[in-house]
Amino acid sequence: MNLDELKKSMSTLDDVLAQKNTDAINLETATCNTAQKKIMKMYSKGAISCVILAFVFLFAWNSGFGNDAFPLAYKVFLCSFLAVAAIWYTCLYFKTKKINIAVSTPMQTIKQVSSLRFYALAGEIVLGMAMAVFFTLFLSNLWEVGQYRFWIVIAAIVVFLVLLVTVYLPRTIRDFKNLTAIE
């Protein structure tokens, strides 16, 4: 690229940067509030489910139920994992609840939603990695104990993943997009 082409490109860039958009950004308050309520409901359901399952595995830990296929270390891991997940979903619930679409400026709302998306994605990745490690250990133990149990768990995991990809994920993406819906 020679000097004349560079000057022309810089001139074009200066012209583009000098243009100001005077159109104000307005959020669709009704759509955003509905999406916020759906996301809050999703996080509260997740927290409650994790607490209930943590207590189930805590009682299984104390009663000694299923020690052959489900050793003590797995019960301890699941109790602690589910407790951490419940705390995480509770934090996300309150972070979502803090977003005030009617009072905040659109840029503040978009910034809050962006940080919520980041925290939610980071949390889901960490929790997913922990579940991958757990199921790797659990399935290898289950294969040794009983192969029919192994295949039942594999079938349940496949059904869960299909539902996750076809139902849960598109709904969550839609709700997060609607949280910053622009008129």
Side-chain angles (χ1 to χ4, degrees), residues 151-168:
W151 291 112
I152 290 172
V153 172
I154 290 293
I157 290 171
V158 167
V159 167
F160 169 75
L161 289 176
V162 166
L163 287 174
L164 178 74
V165 169
T166 59
V167 176
Y168 176 74

PDB file of all heavy atoms in Angstrom, residues 151-168:
ATOM      1  N   TRP A 151     -25.704 -48.417  30.630  1.00  0.00           N
ATOM      2  CA  TRP A 151     -26.457 -48.052  29.435  1.00  0.00           C
ATOM      3  C   TRP A 151     -27.702 -47.238  29.769  1.00  0.00           C
ATOM      4  O   TRP A 151     -28.115 -46.371  28.996  1.00  0.00           O
ATOM      5  CB  TRP A 151     -26.792 -49.288  28.614  1.00  0.00           C
ATOM      6  CG  TRP A 151     -25.549 -49.860  28.000  1.00  0.00           C
ATOM      7  CD1 TRP A 151     -24.955 -51.042  28.295  1.00  0.00           C
ATOM      8  CD2 TRP A 151     -24.727 -49.229  26.999  1.00  0.00           C
ATOM      9  NE1 TRP A 151     -23.808 -51.200  27.557  1.00  0.00           N
ATOM     10  CE2 TRP A 151     -23.639 -50.102  26.739  1.00  0.00           C
ATOM     11  CE3 TRP A 151     -24.783 -48.022  26.313  1.00  0.00           C
ATOM     12  CZ2 TRP A 151     -22.643 -49.795  25.832  1.00  0.00           C
ATOM     13  CZ3 TRP A 151     -23.793 -47.734  25.396  1.00  0.00           C
ATOM     14  CH2 TRP A 151     -22.747 -48.605  25.167  1.00  0.00           C
ATOM     15  N   ILE A 152     -28.296 -47.484  30.923  1.00  0.00           N
ATOM     16  CA  ILE A 152     -29.445 -46.677  31.345  1.00  0.00           C
ATOM     17  C   ILE A 152     -29.011 -45.228  31.593  1.00  0.00           C
ATOM     18  O   ILE A 152     -29.677 -44.276  31.167  1.00  0.00           O
ATOM     19  CB  ILE A 152     -30.111 -47.285  32.603  1.00  0.00           C
ATOM     20  CG1 ILE A 152     -30.810 -48.591  32.229  1.00  0.00           C
ATOM     21  CG2 ILE A 152     -31.098 -46.317  33.231  1.00  0.00           C
ATOM     22  CD1 ILE A 152     -31.327 -49.380  33.423  1.00  0.00           C
ATOM     23  N   VAL A 153     -27.886 -45.069  32.263  1.00  0.00           N
ATOM     24  CA  VAL A 153     -27.377 -43.718  32.536  1.00  0.00           C
ATOM     25  C   VAL A 153     -26.971 -43.033  31.231  1.00  0.00           C
ATOM     26  O   VAL A 153     -27.238 -41.842  31.042  1.00  0.00           O
ATOM     27  CB  VAL A 153     -26.213 -43.764  33.542  1.00  0.00           C
ATOM     28  CG1 VAL A 153     -25.545 -42.411  33.677  1.00  0.00           C
ATOM     29  CG2 VAL A 153     -26.708 -44.245  34.894  1.00  0.00           C
ATOM     30  N   ILE A 154     -26.348 -43.758  30.318  1.00  0.00           N
ATOM     31  CA  ILE A 154     -25.976 -43.184  29.014  1.00  0.00           C
ATOM     32  C   ILE A 154     -27.224 -42.723  28.266  1.00  0.00           C
ATOM     33  O   ILE A 154     -27.242 -41.617  27.683  1.00  0.00           O
ATOM     34  CB  ILE A 154     -25.164 -44.200  28.176  1.00  0.00           C
ATOM     35  CG1 ILE A 154     -23.781 -44.404  28.769  1.00  0.00           C
ATOM     36  CG2 ILE A 154     -25.060 -43.770  26.718  1.00  0.00           C
ATOM     37  CD1 ILE A 154     -22.885 -43.184  28.697  1.00  0.00           C
ATOM     38  N   ALA A 155     -28.280 -43.527  28.272  1.00  0.00           N
ATOM     39  CA  ALA A 155     -29.526 -43.145  27.599  1.00  0.00           C
ATOM     40  C   ALA A 155     -30.115 -41.883  28.235  1.00  0.00           C
ATOM     41  O   ALA A 155     -30.581 -40.978  27.523  1.00  0.00           O
ATOM     42  CB  ALA A 155     -30.530 -44.285  27.668  1.00  0.00           C
ATOM     43  N   ALA A 156     -30.067 -41.795  29.572  1.00  0.00           N
ATOM     44  CA  ALA A 156     -30.585 -40.600  30.248  1.00  0.00           C
ATOM     45  C   ALA A 156     -29.761 -39.369  29.892  1.00  0.00           C
ATOM     46  O   ALA A 156     -30.310 -38.276  29.685  1.00  0.00           O
ATOM     47  CB  ALA A 156     -30.592 -40.824  31.760  1.00  0.00           C
ATOM     48  N   ILE A 157     -28.449 -39.522  29.801  1.00  0.00           N
ATOM     49  CA  ILE A 157     -27.582 -38.392  29.433  1.00  0.00           C
ATOM     50  C   ILE A 157     -27.878 -37.936  28.007  1.00  0.00           C
ATOM     51  O   ILE A 157     -27.947 -36.738  27.730  1.00  0.00           O
ATOM     52  CB  ILE A 157     -26.097 -38.768  29.608  1.00  0.00           C
ATOM     53  CG1 ILE A 157     -25.764 -38.905  31.095  1.00  0.00           C
ATOM     54  CG2 ILE A 157     -25.185 -37.733  28.951  1.00  0.00           C
ATOM     55  CD1 ILE A 157     -24.385 -39.469  31.363  1.00  0.00           C
ATOM     56  N   VAL A 158     -28.081 -38.876  27.103  1.00  0.00           N
ATOM     57  CA  VAL A 158     -28.386 -38.528  25.704  1.00  0.00           C
ATOM     58  C   VAL A 158     -29.714 -37.777  25.626  1.00  0.00           C
ATOM     59  O   VAL A 158     -29.821 -36.761  24.934  1.00  0.00           O
ATOM     60  CB  VAL A 158     -28.382 -39.788  24.817  1.00  0.00           C
ATOM     61  CG1 VAL A 158     -28.984 -39.513  23.459  1.00  0.00           C
ATOM     62  CG2 VAL A 158     -26.967 -40.327  24.678  1.00  0.00           C
ATOM     63  N   VAL A 159     -30.736 -38.264  26.341  1.00  0.00           N
ATOM     64  CA  VAL A 159     -32.038 -37.587  26.339  1.00  0.00           C
ATOM     65  C   VAL A 159     -31.890 -36.169  26.909  1.00  0.00           C
ATOM     66  O   VAL A 159     -32.438 -35.205  26.353  1.00  0.00           O
ATOM     67  CB  VAL A 159     -33.075 -38.401  27.147  1.00  0.00           C
ATOM     68  CG1 VAL A 159     -34.327 -37.593  27.421  1.00  0.00           C
ATOM     69  CG2 VAL A 159     -33.421 -39.686  26.410  1.00  0.00           C
ATOM     70  N   PHE A 160     -31.121 -36.031  27.988  1.00  0.00           N
ATOM     71  CA  PHE A 160     -30.889 -34.721  28.578  1.00  0.00           C
ATOM     72  C   PHE A 160     -30.200 -33.782  27.596  1.00  0.00           C
ATOM     73  O   PHE A 160     -30.596 -32.619  27.449  1.00  0.00           O
ATOM     74  CB  PHE A 160     -30.053 -34.852  29.861  1.00  0.00           C
ATOM     75  CG  PHE A 160     -29.565 -33.538  30.376  1.00  0.00           C
ATOM     76  CD1 PHE A 160     -30.430 -32.668  31.024  1.00  0.00           C
ATOM     77  CD2 PHE A 160     -28.249 -33.144  30.194  1.00  0.00           C
ATOM     78  CE1 PHE A 160     -29.992 -31.445  31.493  1.00  0.00           C
ATOM     79  CE2 PHE A 160     -27.798 -31.926  30.663  1.00  0.00           C
ATOM     80  CZ  PHE A 160     -28.677 -31.071  31.311  1.00  0.00           C
ATOM     81  N   LEU A 161     -29.168 -34.269  26.916  1.00  0.00           N
ATOM     82  CA  LEU A 161     -28.440 -33.419  25.977  1.00  0.00           C
ATOM     83  C   LEU A 161     -29.313 -33.009  24.792  1.00  0.00           C
ATOM     84  O   LEU A 161     -29.235 -31.870  24.321  1.00  0.00           O
ATOM     85  CB  LEU A 161     -27.170 -34.116  25.501  1.00  0.00           C
ATOM     86  CG  LEU A 161     -26.064 -34.245  26.543  1.00  0.00           C
ATOM     87  CD1 LEU A 161     -24.892 -35.052  25.985  1.00  0.00           C
ATOM     88  CD2 LEU A 161     -25.610 -32.887  27.025  1.00  0.00           C
ATOM     89  N   VAL A 162     -30.159 -33.917  24.313  1.00  0.00           N
ATOM     90  CA  VAL A 162     -31.064 -33.580  23.207  1.00  0.00           C
ATOM     91  C   VAL A 162     -32.049 -32.502  23.651  1.00  0.00           C
ATOM     92  O   VAL A 162     -32.290 -31.521  22.930  1.00  0.00           O
ATOM     93  CB  VAL A 162     -31.794 -34.839  22.695  1.00  0.00           C
ATOM     94  CG1 VAL A 162     -32.956 -34.487  21.798  1.00  0.00           C
ATOM     95  CG2 VAL A 162     -30.814 -35.755  21.970  1.00  0.00           C
ATOM     96  N   LEU A 163     -32.627 -32.666  24.846  1.00  0.00           N
ATOM     97  CA  LEU A 163     -33.540 -31.644  25.359  1.00  0.00           C
ATOM     98  C   LEU A 163     -32.831 -30.320  25.604  1.00  0.00           C
ATOM     99  O   LEU A 163     -33.391 -29.252  25.352  1.00  0.00           O
ATOM    100  CB  LEU A 163     -34.201 -32.133  26.648  1.00  0.00           C
ATOM    101  CG  LEU A 163     -35.254 -33.218  26.490  1.00  0.00           C
ATOM    102  CD1 LEU A 163     -35.719 -33.706  27.850  1.00  0.00           C
ATOM    103  CD2 LEU A 163     -36.423 -32.716  25.667  1.00  0.00           C
ATOM    104  N   LEU A 164     -31.605 -30.388  26.065  1.00  0.00           N
ATOM    105  CA  LEU A 164     -30.828 -29.183  26.309  1.00  0.00           C
ATOM    106  C   LEU A 164     -30.614 -28.394  25.021  1.00  0.00           C
ATOM    107  O   LEU A 164     -30.833 -27.186  24.977  1.00  0.00           O
ATOM    108  CB  LEU A 164     -29.475 -29.543  26.932  1.00  0.00           C
ATOM    109  CG  LEU A 164     -28.515 -28.387  27.199  1.00  0.00           C
ATOM    110  CD1 LEU A 164     -29.010 -27.598  28.403  1.00  0.00           C
ATOM    111  CD2 LEU A 164     -27.125 -28.904  27.436  1.00  0.00           C
ATOM    112  N   VAL A 165     -30.227 -29.090  23.973  1.00  0.00           N
ATOM    113  CA  VAL A 165     -29.898 -28.422  22.707  1.00  0.00           C
ATOM    114  C   VAL A 165     -31.155 -27.977  21.966  1.00  0.00           C
ATOM    115  O   VAL A 165     -31.167 -26.918  21.335  1.00  0.00           O
ATOM    116  CB  VAL A 165     -29.021 -29.345  21.832  1.00  0.00           C
ATOM    117  CG1 VAL A 165     -28.873 -28.812  20.432  1.00  0.00           C
ATOM    118  CG2 VAL A 165     -27.669 -29.549  22.480  1.00  0.00           C
ATOM    119  N   THR A 166     -32.234 -28.746  22.038  1.00  0.00           N
ATOM    120  CA  THR A 166     -33.418 -28.418  21.241  1.00  0.00           C
ATOM    121  C   THR A 166     -34.422 -27.527  21.958  1.00  0.00           C
ATOM    122  O   THR A 166     -35.135 -26.772  21.306  1.00  0.00           O
ATOM    123  CB  THR A 166     -34.139 -29.699  20.781  1.00  0.00           C
ATOM    124  OG1 THR A 166     -34.524 -30.454  21.945  1.00  0.00           O
ATOM    125  CG2 THR A 166     -33.255 -30.532  19.885  1.00  0.00           C
ATOM    126  N   VAL A 167     -34.483 -27.594  23.274  1.00  0.00           N
ATOM    127  CA  VAL A 167     -35.512 -26.841  23.996  1.00  0.00           C
ATOM    128  C   VAL A 167     -34.904 -25.759  24.889  1.00  0.00           C
ATOM    129  O   VAL A 167     -35.239 -24.585  24.757  1.00  0.00           O
ATOM    130  CB  VAL A 167     -36.387 -27.797  24.858  1.00  0.00           C
ATOM    131  CG1 VAL A 167     -37.397 -27.019  25.672  1.00  0.00           C
ATOM    132  CG2 VAL A 167     -37.083 -28.819  23.979  1.00  0.00           C
ATOM    133  N   TYR A 168     -34.046 -26.149  25.803  1.00  0.00           N
ATOM    134  CA  TYR A 168     -33.570 -25.245  26.839  1.00  0.00           C
ATOM    135  C   TYR A 168     -32.674 -24.138  26.290  1.00  0.00           C
ATOM    136  O   TYR A 168     -32.885 -22.966  26.581  1.00  0.00           O
ATOM    137  CB  TYR A 168     -32.822 -26.059  27.904  1.00  0.00           C
ATOM    138  CG  TYR A 168     -32.203 -25.238  28.988  1.00  0.00           C
ATOM    139  CD1 TYR A 168     -32.992 -24.661  29.976  1.00  0.00           C
ATOM    140  CD2 TYR A 168     -30.835 -25.019  29.031  1.00  0.00           C
ATOM    141  CE1 TYR A 168     -32.427 -23.895  30.978  1.00  0.00           C
ATOM    142  CE2 TYR A 168     -30.264 -24.265  30.029  1.00  0.00           C
ATOM    143  CZ  TYR A 168     -31.067 -23.706  30.997  1.00  0.00           C
ATOM    144  OH  TYR A 168     -30.502 -22.944  31.972  1.00  0.00           O
TER     145      TYR A 168
END
